[in-house]
Amino acid sequence: VPVVFDTFNSLKEVVTDNENGRIIPNNDTEKYVDTVIELMNSSDTRLKLVQNGLNNCQRYSQQTICNRWKSLIESFVVSRQ
């Protein structure tokens, strides 16, 4: 389960807070520690985040990326005809 500091904008394209991970305000080490302890003590929350994270990974599978590129290239070909 990712527990990450909010240090760059694109992070939120991969991790959604409380859905597939936890995003901690930058440099808030107390919040980080509290969140890790919370996840250690809550198997339901931890398992929910893990399952959502595994589902989210499919957006980045080789097949998904190849299909997106193929669609993009085909759209350029069609637009030039």
Side-chain angles (χ1 to χ4, degrees), residues 13-55:
E13 293 177 20
V14 179
V15 178
T16 302
D17 193 34
N18 289 316
E19 184 177 313
N20 63 346
R22 298 296 301 272
I23 300 175
I24 309 301
N26 195 25
N27 294 321
D28 190 344
T29 54
E30 187 174 324
K31 175 76 172 169
Y32 184 89
V33 169
D34 291 344
T35 300
V36 170
I37 291 170
E38 172 194 335
L39 291 172
M40 289 171 61
N41 292 324
S42 177
S43 61
D44 289 343
T45 301
R46 192 174 60 250
L47 292 174
K48 177 191 86 164
L49 296 174
V50 166
Q51 187 58 54
N52 289 342
L54 291 171
N55 293 340

Side-chain angles (χ1 to χ4, degrees), residues 31-81:
K31 175 76 172 169
Y32 184 89
V33 169
D34 291 344
T35 300
V36 170
I37 291 170
E38 172 194 335
L39 291 172
M40 289 171 61
N41 292 324
S42 177
S43 61
D44 289 343
T45 301
R46 192 174 60 250
L47 292 174
K48 177 191 86 164
L49 296 174
V50 166
Q51 187 58 54
N52 289 342
L54 291 171
N55 293 340
N56 188 49
C57 286
Q58 295 308 308
R59 296 182 351 183
Y60 305 101
S61 72
Q62 182 178 3
Q63 187 63 48
T64 299
I65 299 301
C66 287
N67 288 340
R68 291 182 75 186
W69 273 105
K70 181 180 176 209
S71 295
L72 178 64
I73 292 167
E74 287 173 346
S75 73
F76 285 124
V77 170
V78 169
S79 69
R80 299 188 114 214
Q81 294 177 354

